[in-house]
Each structure stands twice: as C-alpha cells, then as structure tokens.
Amino acid sequence: MKTGSRMIKTVLCFLIIVCLCGCGSSRELNDLGIVLGVGIDKDVESGTVQIAAQVVKAGEISSSGKKNGGSEGKAYVNFKDTGNTVFAAVRDITTQSSRKLYFPHSQVLILGRSAAEDGVTKYLDFFMRDPETRLNVYILVARDSAEGVLDTEPQLEKTPANMIFRLVEGEAKSTSQAMAVRLRDFKDSLMVKTNAPVAPIVEISDDGDQKTAKINGTAVFKGDRMVGELDKIEGRGLLWVLGKVEGGIIETTSSQGNWVSLEIVRAKGSFSTELVNGKVKITITILEEGNIGEQAGPENLTTLSEVAFLEKQKGEVIKNEVLAAIQKAQELDADIFGFGESIHHKYPKEWTAMEDNWDEIFSEIEVEVKVEAKLRLTGRINRPAVPK
C-alpha cells in the first residue's frame, strides 16, 4: 500500500511540474514595444489612416532621465505610419520598430477630429477585435491632430500618454466637467440606436516654448460621427444627470454680492421617465452636499439665513448646468443621457412606435429638474480674518 501511495504521489508531482513548466506563447519583454498611447488621424486628401503609436523606452523610465553627460533623454518614442486600414498601418510600423508593438498596457486612444467627424467605427474596429488590445483604455477626441497631442511635453510625467491618462482621471474627479470614457463604454453606447456617445476633448495648449495637452470640453457623436461638443458647464450638466459628478467647485455669490467658492463633496443624480398623455416627461433629481471653500467678502456665512441663501444659489447653478446640457443636446439631436433607452425598457410596447421618430420626440420632451443642495462645513474657520 505504501509503495502504491508513494507511486501515486510521484506521478502527481510529475504532472504538476509538467503543467507549470514554461509557456508556449510567452514572449520576452525585450522583444516587445510597450504601447502606452495611440493616435488616429485621417488624411483628408488621400483618405488614408495615419497612426501614431507611443512606445515606452523602459531604460529611460527606470532611470532618472539623464544620460550621456547630463543631457535629458525622452522616455518614449512615437512611431508613425499610414495605411488604408488601422491594422495595416500598425503592422507597417514594424518596418521602423525593432520590437513588435504590444497593446495590453495602452492607456489612451485618441481620435483626431478629422477621424471623429468621418465616422469612428472603421477606426475602432481593430481595437475592439484584436485579442491583445484592451477595452478599458480611455478614448478621447483631439481638437485637431491626435498625432500632435502625443508630441506634447509631458511635464510631471515621463510620457505624454501617461500625462493624458492622469488628466482624464483628474478632470473626472476634481472638476467633473468632462466624463472619463473607456472604449468599452463608448462601444456599448455606439451600439444603441438612440444613444449618442461622448468622449472628452484633448487640445494642445501653447505655453511659450512648451506645448502641453489639456482637457477642454466633451465631444458629442450622432451615430459614429462627431456632430458637436459640450463646453465645461454643459459637460458637468451631463454628469449631474448621469450621477457621475465626483467633485468640483461651484462659484456663486453671497447675499452681499461677494464671490463664494463652494466645494462639491458628495453628489447623486438620477432621472425617471414617464409617458403622460402620450408625451415623454423626464424628471431629473440631484442631491448634492458641499462645503464652503473660500469667500471673497467680510460677511458671516455661517448664519442660518446666509446658509439657506447659499444653498438656494448653489441649487440654481446646478439646475442651470443641467438645463444647459439638455438644451445643447436637443440642438444637436443627440440623446447623450440615455433617455430613449430608459423609455425602451420601461415602455417596450410604446417604444416600437417612438424609436424611428426619437430625434423629433427628444427635441421636444418635457424636463423637470429637482435639486436639493446642502452646505455641511465651513472649513477650518467660521468667519474670514477681517479687522473688527
């Protein structure tokens, strides 16, 4: 019995070792060009696709960034090529790069305005289909050229792609004036007939000798074509409705007319849909809590009357941001909120008669906005430091 048991254990150990030994599809890191960001532009004259792939230089990332007598070396290289399709252009980059492009660590996918207005489906198909790409990459639209954005100065980061990645996340959390959109979510919205996908806009800021990237606005799509954009106020209005406001500053005035900055600490947003006498009614409900971040006047903002005044002012600002977003969306005939899908799920029978005419219905829907805004804290001081 003991011999048989020992034999079984030996065979099991051998099988485990065989299963763990090596990986037939493994690749050495030194053979791969790690792509952190991709830019896609359309050449208007030839109609070809222009691809810019930002590949990290691992040696520079791990070093202090100085080499050869103190001269600063970039931690990345941008490879560029053209083709009739994205896949062909990506594959042609191998004629320039000594390493095969590797996409699983890509952080941002940037569409140039020419590509966005042309229709993005054909430019995104490769990134949705290829098994090495990831759907959690952030998607953005460049105000001009995507290639140009990847050539900007990264400032505090090692690469422009990583800087843009951090800008997207920072914008969503600190100001909530543009939504962080992953390729997966963009794809899902794109596949719904009545939904209008959105993506943050990245542009080049020329600061003297340095060109840097910044987030400024939200691109709006109808179908797969960019048809317009939201400004910062309208962008946050969209996020209020979707319940995606994570932070930000609301500027308003006190009862004395002095500027006050109020910090958004917590926020919830939702909407409900109803059919009233055959017409669509949308009710948007927003709950917000915040603190006093700064005041420019000498008055006491902690009195009950002043707190109530500021809460009312703040609620009006929020309501106006929401209404601004709705007005712009209706002007563009673009349901960026998903109102149509909500009606589809709640009233499936009625939706069959509404779907084909949703653009006309959306432009005339009745919207009610309810806002409850509260002030909780005043910060480290209750009253400003002014002479008595």
Side-chain angles (χ1 to χ4, degrees):
M1 287 291 291
K2 290 184 178 180
T3 303
S5 176
R6 189 179 297 111
M7 180 65 72
I8 291 173
K9 290 180 180 179
T10 302
V11 171
L12 288 175
C13 289
F14 177 76
L15 290 175
I16 292 172
I17 292 172
V18 169
C19 291
L20 294 177
C21 283
C23 179
S25 61
S26 66
R27 282 171 287 185
E28 294 295 329
L29 183 61
N30 290 337
D31 296 332
L32 302 175
I34 307 297
V35 178
L36 293 186
V38 177
I40 306 173
D41 292 297
K42 175 191 175 183
D43 187 291
V44 179
E45 294 183 1
S46 65
T48 57
V49 183
Q50 298 176 324
I51 294 292
Q54 189 161 106
V55 177
V56 65
K57 295 161 69 174
E60 293 289 350
I61 286 287
S62 60
S63 69
S64 62
K66 304 286 184 178
K67 65 178 184 176
N68 297 335
S71 62
E72 186 173 352
K74 288 185 177 180
Y76 63 93
V77 58
N78 289 342
F79 291 105
K80 304 167 187 178
D81 216 313
T82 60
N84 292 319
T85 64
V86 170
F87 194 16
V90 168
R91 186 57 60 88
D92 283 348
I93 288 179
T94 58
T95 62
Q96 309 170 42
S97 172
S98 58
R99 303 183 183 187
K100 183 181 181 296
L101 298 188
Y102 189 63
F103 290 93
H105 299 287
S106 185
Q107 296 177 310
V108 293
L109 175 59
I110 306 170
L111 293 161
R113 193 179 189 97
S114 58
E117 293 178 341
D118 183 49
V120 299
T121 299
K122 57 188 174 185
Y123 301 112
L124 298 180
D125 186 86
F126 166 76
F127 298 98
M128 298 176 185
R129 189 182 301 274
D130 192 276
E132 281 192 356
T133 59
R134 295 292 180 264
L135 293 177
N136 64 349
V137 62
Y138 284 129
I139 184 169
L140 303 94
V141 174
R143 189 167 297 283
D144 189 11
S145 161
E147 176 186 318
V149 172
L150 289 176
D151 280 330
T152 55
E153 180 67 34
Q155 293 185 312
L156 299 179
E157 308 303 326
K158 291 283 188 178
T159 67
N162 186 242
M163 182 190 71
I164 296 166
F165 171 84
R166 290 182 177 274
L167 286 176
V168 171
E169 296 202 324
E171 179 78 13
K173 294 177 181 178
S174 299
T175 69
S176 298
Q177 293 176 333
M179 192 190 319
V181 181
R182 297 190 184 274
L183 180 58
R184 177 194 304 109
D185 301 321
F186 189 89
K187 174 184 70 72
D188 292 343
S189 183
L190 196 63
M191 294 176 68
V192 178
K193 181 179 179 180
T194 57
N195 272 15
V198 297
I201 295 176
V202 59
E203 65 183 21
I204 299 174
S205 176
D206 195 347
D207 184 14
D209 295 333
Q210 288 189 341
K211 291 184 177 181
T212 59
K214 70 175 184 178
I215 306 297
N216 186 14
T218 301
V220 177
F221 290 78
K222 185 72 177 294
D224 72 338
R225 297 174 185 268
M226 179 179 171
V227 294
E229 61 183 84
L230 308 179
D231 61 24
K232 292 182 177 182
I233 292 174
E234 297 159 349
R236 190 158 68 184
L238 167 63
L239 268 65
W240 285 121
V241 178
L242 299 181
K244 294 188 176 182
V245 170
E246 297 185 48
I249 302 297
I250 294 175
E251 291 183 316
T252 185
T253 56
S254 69
S255 61
Q256 302 299 313
N258 295 311
W259 282 107
V260 181
S261 291
L262 306 174
E263 181 184 11
I264 302 167
V265 177
R266 283 177 291 275
K268 292 182 180 180
S270 61
F271 66 85
S272 60
T273 55
E274 292 181 272
L275 288 180
V276 181
N277 297 324
K279 293 186 177 182
V280 179
K281 179 181 178 181
I282 308 292
T283 301
I284 299 168
T285 305
I286 297 166
L287 306 176
E288 186 272 348
E289 295 182 12
N291 303 329
I292 297 175
E294 181 186 6
Q295 70 175 101
E299 62 269 38
N300 181 7
L301 299 182
T302 62
T303 64
L304 292 178
S305 60
E306 193 65 41
V307 169
F309 181 85
L310 290 175
E311 288 177 342
K312 182 179 179 181
Q313 290 284 92
K314 181 166 60 164
E316 285 298 315
V317 171
I318 294 171
K319 181 177 180 179
N320 289 336
E321 289 182 350
V322 171
L323 292 176
I326 292 172
Q327 181 180 351
K328 177 57 72 69
Q330 290 179 325
E331 290 174 1
L332 298 174
D333 288 330
D335 183 2
I336 56 180
F337 309 98
F339 292 159
E341 267 301 281
S342 178
I343 295 171
H344 180 195
H345 290 137
K346 191 173 181 180
Y347 304 99
K349 292 182 179 179
E350 292 83 349
W351 177 249
T352 56
M354 299 170 64
E355 184 177 7
D356 291 338
N357 301 315
W358 179 243
D359 284 351
E360 292 77 13
I361 297 171
F362 175 72
S363 64
E364 298 177 355
I365 56 175
E366 179 185 347
V367 179
E368 181 182 6
V369 182
K370 299 179 180 179
V371 180
E372 182 179 336
K374 294 295 183 181
L375 276 178
R376 297 305 184 193
L377 300 173
T378 63
R380 195 159 52 186
I381 59 175
N382 290 329
R383 302 185 65 172
V386 295
K388 295 183 178 180

